[in-house]
Amino acid sequence: MTASDSALRRFLHGLPGVDAVGLEARAASLGTRSIKTTAKAYAIDLAISMIDLTTLEGADTPGKVRALAAKAVNPDPTDRTTPATAAVCVYPDMVATAKAALKGSAVKVASVATAFPAGRAALDVKLADTRDAVAAGADEIDMVIDRGAFLSGKYLKVYEEIQAVKEASGEARLKVIFETGELSTYDNIRRASWLGMMAGADFIKTSTGKVAVNATPANTLLMLEAVRDFRAQTGVQIGVKPAGGIRTTKDAVKFLVLVNETVGEDWLDNHWFRFGASSLLNDLLMQRQKLATGRYSGPDYVTVD
C-alpha cells in the first residue's frame, strides 16, 4: 500500500469494528483460568524474564540506575536460579550508565525517546533524542506516538514519524507506545496497532505508565489479536508490551494466559512479549519464595525500588 492520508484512512477505517462487550467478556473469561502449582512456577519465572525493569523519574541518579541494573541481573540474591529480567528501561541520559552496569549480562538496555511521555516536540528533536540513546548503547527504543495527530486523523504524520524513528534507531528494536488510555475507543486502539505495525514497529506497547488508564486485559487482548492477524497477512511477527498497572503475580498470570490463548507459544518468550511493570517484580519474587519454601518471606526480603 502506498502511504498517503487517504489510503491509510481507507485501510484503518475499513478494519472490522471492535465488539467492546465481546472483547471485555473474553478478556474477563480468560482471566478466570486457574493453573496448577508446577505451571505457576513456570509462569512466575517466565514473567520475571519478561519484565522491563524501569525507572523514569526526574529524580533518577546514576546510583539508582546501577542498583536497578544489579537487581535486573540478579533479582533474588538468595536464589541464583531466579532468571534475570529482560531489560532495564531508562531515560536517554542514563543509557550509558545502565549499559556499563549491565556489561557482560544478557539484560538489554531500553531507552524511552521522542519526548516521552507526552511526545510534544518537533520531529528533529525526537530524532535527536533517539540517536542520542542509540549512540549511548541502547538496545531498544520505546517511542510515543503523537496522540494529537492520530486523534485528528493525521495518520500519515504518525506513520512517517514512526518510520523516521525506526530509521534513527538503527539496529535497536523499536517499541511504539500508543497511550491507549488517551485513544478513547477500542476501534482507535486497533487502528493504532495496525498503523504502528505497518510503519515498522518491532513491538506495540499499550502505555507510558504515566496516565490514569494503562494496560488492561481487554486492550492487551485487542493488541494481541492485531499482531496475530498481522502475521497471518504478512508473515511478520511483532511483539506486544502491556505497561502500567500490572502489579501482582495474579495479574501477570492473567496476561500470560491471554498470550497463550490468543497468539500461542510463539509469543511466550521475552523476545516477543514484555511487561512494563517494575513493581510487579517484587510480588513475583515473594510468590516464587512461597512456592520454594512454603511460606511468604514478606516485602522486607526483597529489595525496594
Side-chain angles (χ1 to χ4, degrees), residues 281-304:
L281 180 56
N282 283 351
D283 192 71
L284 288 166
L285 293 175
M286 286 190 286
Q287 293 293 336
R288 194 178 192 274
Q289 291 165 0
K290 167 70 160 51
L291 286 180
T293 66
R295 63 184 185 277
Y296 286 106
S297 298
D300 292 341
Y301 287 81
V302 293
T303 57
V304 178

mmCIF file of all heavy atoms in Angstrom, residues 281-304:
data_model
loop_
_atom_site.group_PDB
_atom_site.id
_atom_site.type_symbol
_atom_site.label_atom_id
_atom_site.label_comp_id
_atom_site.label_asym_id
_atom_site.label_seq_id
_atom_site.Cartn_x
_atom_site.Cartn_y
_atom_site.Cartn_z
ATOM 1 N N LEU A 281 7.800 -7.044 39.890
ATOM 2 C CA LEU A 281 8.901 -7.961 40.177
ATOM 3 C C LEU A 281 8.921 -8.405 41.637
ATOM 4 O O LEU A 281 9.110 -9.586 41.928
ATOM 5 C CB LEU A 281 10.243 -7.324 39.793
ATOM 6 C CG LEU A 281 11.479 -8.198 40.038
ATOM 7 C CD1 LEU A 281 11.376 -9.546 39.327
ATOM 8 C CD2 LEU A 281 12.746 -7.463 39.608
ATOM 9 N N ASN A 282 8.727 -7.481 42.574
ATOM 10 C CA ASN A 282 8.790 -7.852 43.982
ATOM 11 C C ASN A 282 7.717 -8.869 44.344
ATOM 12 O O ASN A 282 7.969 -9.812 45.101
ATOM 13 C CB ASN A 282 8.668 -6.613 44.869
ATOM 14 C CG ASN A 282 9.962 -5.817 44.918
ATOM 15 O OD1 ASN A 282 10.996 -6.272 44.434
ATOM 16 N ND2 ASN A 282 9.907 -4.629 45.486
ATOM 17 N N ASP A 283 6.514 -8.706 43.804
ATOM 18 C CA ASP A 283 5.456 -9.683 44.105
ATOM 19 C C ASP A 283 5.781 -11.045 43.502
ATOM 20 O O ASP A 283 5.563 -12.089 44.136
ATOM 21 C CB ASP A 283 4.101 -9.190 43.594
ATOM 22 C CG ASP A 283 2.957 -10.040 44.145
ATOM 23 O OD1 ASP A 283 2.672 -9.924 45.357
ATOM 24 O OD2 ASP A 283 2.365 -10.831 43.387
ATOM 25 N N LEU A 284 6.317 -11.044 42.282
ATOM 26 C CA LEU A 284 6.727 -12.318 41.668
ATOM 27 C C LEU A 284 7.792 -13.014 42.516
ATOM 28 O O LEU A 284 7.749 -14.235 42.709
ATOM 29 C CB LEU A 284 7.251 -12.076 40.252
ATOM 30 C CG LEU A 284 6.216 -11.723 39.191
ATOM 31 C CD1 LEU A 284 6.898 -11.180 37.941
ATOM 32 C CD2 LEU A 284 5.362 -12.943 38.835
ATOM 33 N N LEU A 285 8.745 -12.230 43.042
ATOM 34 C CA LEU A 285 9.802 -12.819 43.871
ATOM 35 C C LEU A 285 9.237 -13.393 45.170
ATOM 36 O O LEU A 285 9.634 -14.482 45.602
ATOM 37 C CB LEU A 285 10.876 -11.774 44.178
ATOM 38 C CG LEU A 285 11.701 -11.292 42.981
ATOM 39 C CD1 LEU A 285 12.635 -10.165 43.401
ATOM 40 C CD2 LEU A 285 12.476 -12.430 42.338
ATOM 41 N N MET A 286 8.286 -12.686 45.780
ATOM 42 C CA MET A 286 7.678 -13.201 47.009
ATOM 43 C C MET A 286 6.879 -14.476 46.750
ATOM 44 O O MET A 286 6.947 -15.438 47.521
ATOM 45 C CB MET A 286 6.794 -12.127 47.660
ATOM 46 C CG MET A 286 7.592 -11.028 48.339
ATOM 47 S SD MET A 286 6.582 -9.916 49.337
ATOM 48 C CE MET A 286 5.758 -8.964 48.072
ATOM 49 N N GLN A 287 6.153 -14.510 45.642
ATOM 50 C CA GLN A 287 5.398 -15.716 45.299
ATOM 51 C C GLN A 287 6.333 -16.877 44.955
ATOM 52 O O GLN A 287 6.056 -18.034 45.278
ATOM 53 C CB GLN A 287 4.464 -15.426 44.123
ATOM 54 C CG GLN A 287 3.340 -14.455 44.436
ATOM 55 C CD GLN A 287 2.329 -15.006 45.415
ATOM 56 O OE1 GLN A 287 2.163 -16.211 45.563
ATOM 57 N NE2 GLN A 287 1.646 -14.113 46.124
ATOM 58 N N ARG A 288 7.450 -16.557 44.310
ATOM 59 C CA ARG A 288 8.439 -17.583 43.974
ATOM 60 C C ARG A 288 9.034 -18.186 45.245
ATOM 61 O O ARG A 288 9.201 -19.410 45.364
ATOM 62 C CB ARG A 288 9.540 -16.968 43.102
ATOM 63 C CG ARG A 288 10.448 -17.972 42.418
ATOM 64 C CD ARG A 288 11.463 -17.240 41.533
ATOM 65 N NE ARG A 288 12.144 -18.167 40.652
ATOM 66 C CZ ARG A 288 13.227 -18.863 40.970
ATOM 67 N NH1 ARG A 288 13.748 -18.736 42.185
ATOM 68 N NH2 ARG A 288 13.791 -19.684 40.107
ATOM 69 N N GLN A 289 9.346 -17.325 46.230
ATOM 70 C CA GLN A 289 9.870 -17.813 47.510
ATOM 71 C C GLN A 289 8.839 -18.657 48.242
ATOM 72 O O GLN A 289 9.174 -19.664 48.876
ATOM 73 C CB GLN A 289 10.308 -16.615 48.370
ATOM 74 C CG GLN A 289 11.540 -15.895 47.833
ATOM 75 C CD GLN A 289 11.749 -14.528 48.450
ATOM 76 O OE1 GLN A 289 10.983 -14.085 49.289
ATOM 77 N NE2 GLN A 289 12.807 -13.830 48.012
ATOM 78 N N LYS A 290 7.557 -18.275 48.131
ATOM 79 C CA LYS A 290 6.485 -19.043 48.771
ATOM 80 C C LYS A 290 6.408 -20.454 48.191
ATOM 81 O O LYS A 290 6.259 -21.448 48.913
ATOM 82 C CB LYS A 290 5.157 -18.311 48.566
ATOM 83 C CG LYS A 290 3.898 -19.114 48.900
ATOM 84 C CD LYS A 290 3.752 -19.362 50.385
ATOM 85 C CE LYS A 290 2.328 -19.716 50.790
ATOM 86 N NZ LYS A 290 1.686 -20.777 50.039
ATOM 87 N N LEU A 291 6.523 -20.564 46.864
ATOM 88 C CA LEU A 291 6.480 -21.890 46.240
ATOM 89 C C LEU A 291 7.674 -22.741 46.662
ATOM 90 O O LEU A 291 7.563 -23.955 46.829
ATOM 91 C CB LEU A 291 6.461 -21.761 44.711
ATOM 92 C CG LEU A 291 5.153 -21.290 44.067
ATOM 93 C CD1 LEU A 291 5.317 -21.212 42.559
ATOM 94 C CD2 LEU A 291 4.005 -22.224 44.417
ATOM 95 N N ALA A 292 8.824 -22.085 46.845
ATOM 96 C CA ALA A 292 10.044 -22.820 47.192
ATOM 97 C C ALA A 292 10.085 -23.232 48.662
ATOM 98 O O ALA A 292 10.580 -24.309 49.004
ATOM 99 C CB ALA A 292 11.269 -21.977 46.849
ATOM 100 N N THR A 293 9.566 -22.378 49.542
ATOM 101 C CA THR A 293 9.734 -22.614 50.987
ATOM 102 C C THR A 293 8.440 -22.949 51.713
ATOM 103 O O THR A 293 8.464 -23.409 52.858
ATOM 104 C CB THR A 293 10.324 -21.359 51.670
ATOM 105 O OG1 THR A 293 9.372 -20.285 51.586
ATOM 106 C CG2 THR A 293 11.622 -20.934 50.997
ATOM 107 N N GLY A 294 7.303 -22.682 51.056
ATOM 108 C CA GLY A 294 6.024 -22.941 51.706
ATOM 109 C C GLY A 294 5.541 -21.792 52.564
ATOM 110 O O GLY A 294 4.491 -21.892 53.208
ATOM 111 N N ARG A 295 6.284 -20.701 52.576
ATOM 112 C CA ARG A 295 5.841 -19.550 53.373
ATOM 113 C C ARG A 295 6.227 -18.255 52.661
ATOM 114 O O ARG A 295 7.174 -18.224 51.878
ATOM 115 C CB ARG A 295 6.464 -19.575 54.774
ATOM 116 C CG ARG A 295 7.973 -19.462 54.796
ATOM 117 C CD ARG A 295 8.556 -19.600 56.200
ATOM 118 N NE ARG A 295 9.989 -19.379 56.199
ATOM 119 C CZ ARG A 295 10.887 -20.318 55.895
ATOM 120 N NH1 ARG A 295 10.488 -21.538 55.579
ATOM 121 N NH2 ARG A 295 12.180 -20.036 55.914
ATOM 122 N N TYR A 296 5.492 -17.205 52.995
ATOM 123 C CA TYR A 296 5.797 -15.897 52.438
ATOM 124 C C TYR A 296 6.971 -15.285 53.186
ATOM 125 O O TYR A 296 6.988 -15.260 54.417
ATOM 126 C CB TYR A 296 4.592 -14.963 52.547
ATOM 127 C CG TYR A 296 3.494 -15.273 51.563
ATOM 128 C CD1 TYR A 296 2.311 -15.877 51.982
ATOM 129 C CD2 TYR A 296 3.646 -14.972 50.210
ATOM 130 C CE1 TYR A 296 1.295 -16.175 51.075
ATOM 131 C CE2 TYR A 296 2.645 -15.264 49.302
ATOM 132 C CZ TYR A 296 1.473 -15.856 49.742
ATOM 133 O OH TYR A 296 0.490 -16.148 48.833
ATOM 134 N N SER A 297 7.929 -14.772 52.444
ATOM 135 C CA SER A 297 9.067 -14.118 53.075
ATOM 136 C C SER A 297 8.714 -12.707 53.511
ATOM 137 O O SER A 297 9.299 -12.174 54.445
ATOM 138 C CB SER A 297 10.252 -14.068 52.099
ATOM 139 O OG SER A 297 10.643 -15.365 51.757
ATOM 140 N N GLY A 298 7.749 -12.083 52.814
ATOM 141 C CA GLY A 298 7.380 -10.712 53.149
ATOM 142 C C GLY A 298 8.205 -9.709 52.360
ATOM 143 O O GLY A 298 9.311 -10.021 51.877
ATOM 144 N N PRO A 299 7.695 -8.494 52.241
ATOM 145 C CA PRO A 299 8.354 -7.479 51.398
ATOM 146 C C PRO A 299 9.741 -7.064 51.911
ATOM 147 O O PRO A 299 10.533 -6.530 51.150
ATOM 148 C CB PRO A 299 7.379 -6.297 51.441
ATOM 149 C CG PRO A 299 6.528 -6.537 52.650
ATOM 150 C CD PRO A 299 6.446 -8.011 52.830
ATOM 151 N N ASP A 300 10.030 -7.299 53.190
ATOM 152 C CA ASP A 300 11.350 -6.898 53.705
ATOM 153 C C ASP A 300 12.480 -7.762 53.138
ATOM 154 O O ASP A 300 13.655 -7.431 53.302
ATOM 155 C CB ASP A 300 11.384 -6.994 55.243
ATOM 156 C CG ASP A 300 10.483 -5.947 55.901
ATOM 157 O OD1 ASP A 300 10.145 -4.969 55.209
ATOM 158 O OD2 ASP A 300 10.117 -6.132 57.068
ATOM 159 N N TYR A 301 12.114 -8.885 52.514
ATOM 160 C CA TYR A 301 13.128 -9.795 51.999
ATOM 161 C C TYR A 301 13.424 -9.581 50.516
ATOM 162 O O TYR A 301 14.201 -10.320 49.934
ATOM 163 C CB TYR A 301 12.712 -11.240 52.233
ATOM 164 C CG TYR A 301 12.829 -11.635 53.700
ATOM 165 C CD1 TYR A 301 11.827 -11.286 54.601
ATOM 166 C CD2 TYR A 301 13.943 -12.320 54.170
ATOM 167 C CE1 TYR A 301 11.929 -11.629 55.950
ATOM 168 C CE2 TYR A 301 14.060 -12.669 55.509
ATOM 169 C CZ TYR A 301 13.066 -12.302 56.402
ATOM 170 O OH TYR A 301 13.177 -12.641 57.738
ATOM 171 N N VAL A 302 12.795 -8.592 49.936
ATOM 172 C CA VAL A 302 13.132 -8.221 48.554
ATOM 173 C C VAL A 302 13.535 -6.759 48.553
ATOM 174 O O VAL A 302 13.101 -5.983 49.403
ATOM 175 C CB VAL A 302 11.961 -8.458 47.566
ATOM 176 C CG1 VAL A 302 11.697 -9.935 47.428
ATOM 177 C CG2 VAL A 302 10.698 -7.726 48.019
ATOM 178 N N THR A 303 14.385 -6.388 47.602
ATOM 179 C CA THR A 303 14.875 -5.016 47.577
ATOM 180 C C THR A 303 13.766 -4.057 47.203
ATOM 181 O O THR A 303 12.892 -4.385 46.389
ATOM 182 C CB THR A 303 16.039 -4.869 46.583
ATOM 183 O OG1 THR A 303 15.586 -5.289 45.286
ATOM 184 C CG2 THR A 303 17.226 -5.696 47.008
ATOM 185 N N VAL A 304 13.785 -2.891 47.776
ATOM 186 C CA VAL A 304 12.793 -1.870 47.488
ATOM 187 C C VAL A 304 13.307 -0.998 46.347
ATOM 188 O O VAL A 304 14.444 -0.518 46.396
ATOM 189 C CB VAL A 304 12.516 -1.011 48.727
ATOM 190 C CG1 VAL A 304 11.509 0.101 48.388
ATOM 191 C CG2 VAL A 304 11.986 -1.870 49.868
#
